[in-house]
mmCIF file of all heavy atoms in Angstrom:
data_model
loop_
_atom_site.group_PDB
_atom_site.id
_atom_site.type_symbol
_atom_site.label_atom_id
_atom_site.label_comp_id
_atom_site.label_asym_id
_atom_site.label_seq_id
_atom_site.Cartn_x
_atom_site.Cartn_y
_atom_site.Cartn_z
ATOM 1 N N SER L 1 100.118 121.582 109.987
ATOM 2 C CA SER L 1 100.468 122.703 110.802
ATOM 3 C C SER L 1 101.902 123.100 110.482
ATOM 4 O O SER L 1 102.520 122.540 109.662
ATOM 5 C CB SER L 1 100.296 122.400 112.260
ATOM 6 O OG SER L 1 101.341 121.517 112.737
ATOM 7 N N VAL L 2 102.322 124.461 110.991
ATOM 8 C CA VAL L 2 103.604 124.753 110.763
ATOM 9 C C VAL L 2 104.553 123.657 111.319
ATOM 10 O O VAL L 2 105.526 123.381 110.576
ATOM 11 C CB VAL L 2 103.852 126.157 111.609
ATOM 12 C CG1 VAL L 2 105.377 126.482 111.647
ATOM 13 C CG2 VAL L 2 103.055 127.254 110.949
ATOM 14 N N GLN L 3 104.376 123.207 112.416
ATOM 15 C CA GLN L 3 105.322 122.291 113.090
ATOM 16 C C GLN L 3 105.357 120.881 112.274
ATOM 17 O O GLN L 3 106.434 120.460 112.013
ATOM 18 C CB GLN L 3 104.918 121.971 114.544
ATOM 19 C CG GLN L 3 106.018 121.237 115.312
ATOM 20 C CD GLN L 3 107.302 122.028 115.400
ATOM 21 O OE1 GLN L 3 107.254 123.269 115.301
ATOM 22 N NE2 GLN L 3 108.372 121.347 115.525
ATOM 23 N N GLN L 4 104.266 120.542 111.702
ATOM 24 C CA GLN L 4 104.225 119.259 110.861
ATOM 25 C C GLN L 4 104.954 119.479 109.670
ATOM 26 O O GLN L 4 105.592 118.602 109.207
ATOM 27 C CB GLN L 4 102.829 118.851 110.733
ATOM 28 C CG GLN L 4 102.014 118.256 111.894
ATOM 29 C CD GLN L 4 100.585 118.154 111.589
ATOM 30 O OE1 GLN L 4 99.930 118.875 110.948
ATOM 31 N NE2 GLN L 4 99.951 117.157 112.369
ATOM 32 N N THR L 5 104.793 120.793 109.109
ATOM 33 C CA THR L 5 105.591 120.957 107.876
ATOM 34 C C THR L 5 107.084 121.035 108.112
ATOM 35 O O THR L 5 107.849 120.529 107.335
ATOM 36 C CB THR L 5 105.127 122.294 107.142
ATOM 37 O OG1 THR L 5 103.661 122.255 107.090
ATOM 38 C CG2 THR L 5 105.795 122.626 105.881
ATOM 39 N N VAL L 6 107.488 121.656 109.193
ATOM 40 C CA VAL L 6 108.924 121.588 109.527
ATOM 41 C C VAL L 6 109.448 120.189 109.745
ATOM 42 O O VAL L 6 110.516 119.831 109.251
ATOM 43 C CB VAL L 6 109.132 122.462 110.906
ATOM 44 C CG1 VAL L 6 110.640 122.270 111.478
ATOM 45 C CG2 VAL L 6 108.834 123.935 110.657
ATOM 46 N N GLU L 7 108.651 119.418 110.380
ATOM 47 C CA GLU L 7 109.115 117.979 110.595
ATOM 48 C C GLU L 7 109.198 117.233 109.253
ATOM 49 O O GLU L 7 109.984 116.392 109.060
ATOM 50 C CB GLU L 7 107.973 117.309 111.464
ATOM 51 C CG GLU L 7 108.076 117.668 112.931
ATOM 52 C CD GLU L 7 106.887 117.368 113.850
ATOM 53 O OE1 GLU L 7 106.065 116.539 113.231
ATOM 54 O OE2 GLU L 7 106.992 117.650 115.075
ATOM 55 N N LEU L 8 108.263 117.534 108.339
ATOM 56 C CA LEU L 8 108.414 116.951 106.931
ATOM 57 C C LEU L 8 109.653 117.303 106.281
ATOM 58 O O LEU L 8 110.300 116.494 105.718
ATOM 59 C CB LEU L 8 107.077 117.467 106.179
ATOM 60 C CG LEU L 8 107.010 116.894 104.774
ATOM 61 C CD1 LEU L 8 106.743 115.439 104.674
ATOM 62 C CD2 LEU L 8 105.838 117.731 104.042
ATOM 63 N N LEU L 9 110.073 118.570 106.343
ATOM 64 C CA LEU L 9 111.303 119.005 105.760
ATOM 65 C C LEU L 9 112.499 118.401 106.478
ATOM 66 O O LEU L 9 113.442 118.043 105.734
ATOM 67 C CB LEU L 9 111.385 120.604 105.905
ATOM 68 C CG LEU L 9 110.609 121.380 104.911
ATOM 69 C CD1 LEU L 9 110.484 122.920 105.345
ATOM 70 C CD2 LEU L 9 110.972 121.336 103.483
ATOM 71 N N ALA L 10 112.372 118.304 107.790
ATOM 72 C CA ALA L 10 113.507 117.579 108.504
ATOM 73 C C ALA L 10 113.654 116.092 108.082
ATOM 74 O O ALA L 10 114.804 115.705 107.958
ATOM 75 C CB ALA L 10 113.220 117.689 109.965
ATOM 76 N N ARG L 11 112.582 115.500 107.860
ATOM 77 C CA ARG L 11 112.689 114.140 107.323
ATOM 78 C C ARG L 11 113.372 113.979 106.028
ATOM 79 O O ARG L 11 114.072 113.080 105.780
ATOM 80 C CB ARG L 11 111.219 113.445 107.446
ATOM 81 C CG ARG L 11 110.750 113.031 108.860
ATOM 82 C CD ARG L 11 109.532 112.118 108.839
ATOM 83 N NE ARG L 11 108.351 112.652 108.165
ATOM 84 C CZ ARG L 11 107.476 113.358 108.606
ATOM 85 N NH1 ARG L 11 107.541 113.629 109.949
ATOM 86 N NH2 ARG L 11 106.442 113.708 108.036
ATOM 87 N N ARG L 12 112.953 114.948 105.224
ATOM 88 C CA ARG L 12 113.685 114.894 103.841
ATOM 89 C C ARG L 12 115.126 115.119 103.952
ATOM 90 O O ARG L 12 115.908 114.439 103.265
ATOM 91 C CB ARG L 12 113.047 116.001 102.951
ATOM 92 C CG ARG L 12 111.631 115.764 102.551
ATOM 93 C CD ARG L 12 111.070 116.868 101.661
ATOM 94 N NE ARG L 12 109.664 116.803 101.348
ATOM 95 C CZ ARG L 12 108.955 117.726 100.904
ATOM 96 N NH1 ARG L 12 109.452 118.918 100.633
ATOM 97 N NH2 ARG L 12 107.625 117.579 100.682
ATOM 98 N N LEU L 13 115.550 116.027 104.907
ATOM 99 C CA LEU L 13 116.924 116.302 105.068
ATOM 100 C C LEU L 13 117.734 115.023 105.513
ATOM 101 O O LEU L 13 118.732 114.650 105.115
ATOM 102 C CB LEU L 13 117.228 117.429 105.965
ATOM 103 C CG LEU L 13 117.050 118.834 105.308
ATOM 104 C CD1 LEU L 13 117.133 119.945 106.425
ATOM 105 C CD2 LEU L 13 118.252 119.182 104.320
ATOM 106 N N GLU L 14 117.086 114.453 106.639
ATOM 107 C CA GLU L 14 117.641 113.272 107.217
ATOM 108 C C GLU L 14 117.686 112.118 106.249
ATOM 109 O O GLU L 14 118.724 111.410 106.370
ATOM 110 C CB GLU L 14 116.787 112.962 108.463
ATOM 111 C CG GLU L 14 117.081 113.891 109.586
ATOM 112 C CD GLU L 14 116.155 113.817 110.766
ATOM 113 O OE1 GLU L 14 115.343 112.838 110.758
ATOM 114 O OE2 GLU L 14 116.104 114.694 111.652
ATOM 115 N N ALA L 15 116.701 112.052 105.302
ATOM 116 C CA ALA L 15 116.783 110.994 104.323
ATOM 117 C C ALA L 15 117.996 111.175 103.366
ATOM 118 O O ALA L 15 118.526 110.221 102.761
ATOM 119 C CB ALA L 15 115.350 111.010 103.650
ATOM 120 N N LEU L 16 118.367 112.427 103.125
ATOM 121 C CA LEU L 16 119.479 112.695 102.351
ATOM 122 C C LEU L 16 120.720 112.272 102.962
ATOM 123 O O LEU L 16 121.853 112.107 102.304
ATOM 124 C CB LEU L 16 119.544 114.109 101.863
ATOM 125 C CG LEU L 16 118.501 114.775 100.953
ATOM 126 C CD1 LEU L 16 118.639 116.237 100.824
ATOM 127 C CD2 LEU L 16 118.707 114.096 99.526
ATOM 128 N N GLY L 17 120.867 112.271 104.308
ATOM 129 C CA GLY L 17 121.932 111.952 105.075
ATOM 130 C C GLY L 17 122.395 113.093 105.928
ATOM 131 O O GLY L 17 123.606 113.068 106.504
ATOM 132 N N ALA L 18 121.576 114.194 106.125
ATOM 133 C CA ALA L 18 121.980 115.187 106.924
ATOM 134 C C ALA L 18 121.982 114.898 108.424
ATOM 135 O O ALA L 18 121.150 114.187 108.815
ATOM 136 C CB ALA L 18 121.023 116.450 106.671
ATOM 137 N N ASP L 19 122.887 115.553 109.196
ATOM 138 C CA ASP L 19 122.918 115.249 110.619
ATOM 139 C C ASP L 19 122.548 116.554 111.399
ATOM 140 O O ASP L 19 122.978 117.608 110.875
ATOM 141 C CB ASP L 19 124.462 114.848 110.946
ATOM 142 C CG ASP L 19 124.870 113.563 110.395
ATOM 143 O OD1 ASP L 19 124.000 112.591 110.374
ATOM 144 O OD2 ASP L 19 125.979 113.530 109.854
ATOM 145 N N LYS L 20 121.980 116.279 112.490
ATOM 146 C CA LYS L 20 121.519 117.463 113.435
ATOM 147 C C LYS L 20 122.894 118.123 113.955
ATOM 148 O O LYS L 20 123.729 117.284 114.438
ATOM 149 C CB LYS L 20 120.615 117.086 114.402
ATOM 150 C CG LYS L 20 119.144 116.793 113.987
ATOM 151 C CD LYS L 20 118.294 116.492 115.213
ATOM 152 C CE LYS L 20 116.925 116.140 114.625
ATOM 153 N NZ LYS L 20 115.943 115.749 115.796
ATOM 154 N N GLN L 21 122.903 119.394 113.917
ATOM 155 C CA GLN L 21 124.141 120.040 114.581
ATOM 156 C C GLN L 21 123.725 121.157 115.481
ATOM 157 O O GLN L 21 124.030 122.387 115.457
ATOM 158 C CB GLN L 21 124.996 120.632 113.413
ATOM 159 C CG GLN L 21 125.606 119.596 112.506
ATOM 160 C CD GLN L 21 126.747 118.862 113.168
ATOM 161 O OE1 GLN L 21 127.377 119.395 114.090
ATOM 162 N NE2 GLN L 21 127.069 117.708 112.624
ATOM 163 N N GLY L 22 122.796 120.844 116.415
ATOM 164 C CA GLY L 22 122.425 121.847 117.404
ATOM 165 C C GLY L 22 121.280 122.719 116.992
ATOM 166 O O GLY L 22 120.490 122.321 116.017
ATOM 167 N N THR L 23 121.047 123.886 117.644
ATOM 168 C CA THR L 23 119.918 124.703 117.203
ATOM 169 C C THR L 23 120.405 126.020 116.914
ATOM 170 O O THR L 23 121.598 126.347 117.036
ATOM 171 C CB THR L 23 119.015 124.897 118.562
ATOM 172 O OG1 THR L 23 119.817 125.457 119.681
ATOM 173 C CG2 THR L 23 118.514 123.511 118.902
ATOM 174 N N PHE L 24 119.506 127.002 116.436
ATOM 175 C CA PHE L 24 119.860 128.334 116.095
ATOM 176 C C PHE L 24 118.632 129.229 116.444
ATOM 177 O O PHE L 24 117.557 128.755 116.656
ATOM 178 C CB PHE L 24 120.188 128.485 114.595
ATOM 179 C CG PHE L 24 118.976 128.523 113.662
ATOM 180 C CD1 PHE L 24 118.592 129.704 113.256
ATOM 181 C CD2 PHE L 24 118.217 127.449 113.346
ATOM 182 C CE1 PHE L 24 117.285 129.778 112.535
ATOM 183 C CE2 PHE L 24 117.136 127.436 112.701
ATOM 184 C CZ PHE L 24 116.653 128.697 112.200
ATOM 185 N N GLY L 25 118.881 130.557 116.424
ATOM 186 C CA GLY L 25 117.894 131.555 116.678
ATOM 187 C C GLY L 25 118.219 132.872 116.096
ATOM 188 O O GLY L 25 119.359 133.274 116.135
ATOM 189 N N VAL L 26 117.171 133.382 115.385
ATOM 190 C CA VAL L 26 117.430 134.860 114.901
ATOM 191 C C VAL L 26 116.172 135.710 115.373
ATOM 192 O O VAL L 26 115.098 135.127 115.167
ATOM 193 C CB VAL L 26 117.410 134.772 113.376
ATOM 194 C CG1 VAL L 26 117.506 136.312 112.770
ATOM 195 C CG2 VAL L 26 118.639 133.969 112.650
ATOM 196 N N ASP L 27 116.439 136.860 115.974
ATOM 197 C CA ASP L 27 115.396 137.634 116.347
ATOM 198 C C ASP L 27 115.437 139.097 115.838
ATOM 199 O O ASP L 27 116.571 139.492 115.403
ATOM 200 C CB ASP L 27 115.243 137.750 117.895
ATOM 201 C CG ASP L 27 116.380 138.269 118.544
ATOM 202 O OD1 ASP L 27 116.706 139.564 118.322
ATOM 203 O OD2 ASP L 27 117.038 137.560 119.312
ATOM 204 N N CYS L 28 114.321 139.742 115.879
ATOM 205 C CA CYS L 28 114.298 141.066 115.249
ATOM 206 C C CYS L 28 113.334 141.896 115.964
ATOM 207 O O CYS L 28 112.010 141.586 116.107
ATOM 208 C CB CYS L 28 113.806 140.939 113.757
ATOM 209 S SG CYS L 28 113.556 142.499 112.989
ATOM 210 N N GLU L 29 113.755 143.059 116.514
ATOM 211 C CA GLU L 29 112.787 144.151 117.192
ATOM 212 C C GLU L 29 112.875 145.273 116.325
ATOM 213 O O GLU L 29 113.870 145.726 115.745
ATOM 214 C CB GLU L 29 113.435 144.385 118.562
ATOM 215 C CG GLU L 29 113.375 143.221 119.492
ATOM 216 C CD GLU L 29 113.499 143.710 120.922
ATOM 217 O OE1 GLU L 29 112.501 144.301 121.410
ATOM 218 O OE2 GLU L 29 114.518 143.337 121.524
ATOM 219 N N THR L 30 111.658 145.893 116.289
ATOM 220 C CA THR L 30 111.447 147.058 115.375
ATOM 221 C C THR L 30 111.482 148.288 116.147
ATOM 222 O O THR L 30 110.716 148.351 117.273
ATOM 223 C CB THR L 30 110.010 146.966 114.661
ATOM 224 O OG1 THR L 30 110.041 145.768 113.901
ATOM 225 C CG2 THR L 30 109.797 148.114 113.643
ATOM 226 N N TYR L 31 112.154 149.294 115.700
ATOM 227 C CA TYR L 31 112.218 150.623 116.341
ATOM 228 C C TYR L 31 111.728 151.651 115.414
ATOM 229 O O TYR L 31 111.932 151.534 114.198
ATOM 230 C CB TYR L 31 113.653 150.996 116.827
ATOM 231 C CG TYR L 31 114.061 150.155 118.024
ATOM 232 C CD1 TYR L 31 114.618 148.963 117.809
ATOM 233 C CD2 TYR L 31 114.104 150.686 119.207
ATOM 234 C CE1 TYR L 31 115.111 148.143 118.829
ATOM 235 C CE2 TYR L 31 114.502 149.908 120.414
ATOM 236 C CZ TYR L 31 115.034 148.660 120.191
ATOM 237 O OH TYR L 31 115.583 147.998 121.168
ATOM 238 N N HIS L 32 110.900 152.644 115.809
ATOM 239 C CA HIS L 32 110.533 153.705 114.875
ATOM 240 C C HIS L 32 111.020 155.128 115.608
ATOM 241 O O HIS L 32 111.184 155.153 116.767
ATOM 242 C CB HIS L 32 109.088 153.874 114.726
ATOM 243 C CG HIS L 32 108.272 153.771 115.942
ATOM 244 N ND1 HIS L 32 107.909 154.847 116.698
ATOM 245 C CD2 HIS L 32 107.524 152.841 116.695
ATOM 246 C CE1 HIS L 32 107.149 154.591 117.583
ATOM 247 N NE2 HIS L 32 106.888 153.290 117.696
ATOM 248 N N THR L 33 111.208 156.012 114.693
ATOM 249 C CA THR L 33 111.686 157.360 115.226
ATOM 250 C C THR L 33 110.598 158.046 115.992
ATOM 251 O O THR L 33 109.404 157.779 115.832
ATOM 252 C CB THR L 33 111.938 158.242 113.934
ATOM 253 O OG1 THR L 33 110.902 158.267 113.144
ATOM 254 C CG2 THR L 33 113.239 157.897 113.243
ATOM 255 N N ALA L 34 111.048 158.605 117.191
ATOM 256 C CA ALA L 34 110.105 159.164 118.113
ATOM 257 C C ALA L 34 109.357 160.211 117.432
ATOM 258 O O ALA L 34 109.763 160.941 116.541
ATOM 259 C CB ALA L 34 110.885 159.778 119.355
#
């Protein structure tokens, strides 16, 4: 699943020695001309 793939990437990063440093978020809303 998406979540399992994210966890797989996280494990690879942690195996390299990367440390968690909080969370992040990016959002996008679409507007069109009236």
Side-chain angles (χ1 to χ4, degrees):
S1 69
V2 168
Q3 195 60 28
Q4 287 169 333
T5 305
V6 170
E7 289 167 0
L8 181 66
L9 288 167
R11 285 198 297 272
R12 289 179 187 167
L13 276 172
E14 289 167 6
L16 288 173
D19 296 316
K20 287 183 181 180
Q21 297 284 338
T23 59
F24 81 97
V26 177
D27 64 63
C28 174
E29 294 198 65
T30 303
Y31 290 81
H32 54 82
T33 50

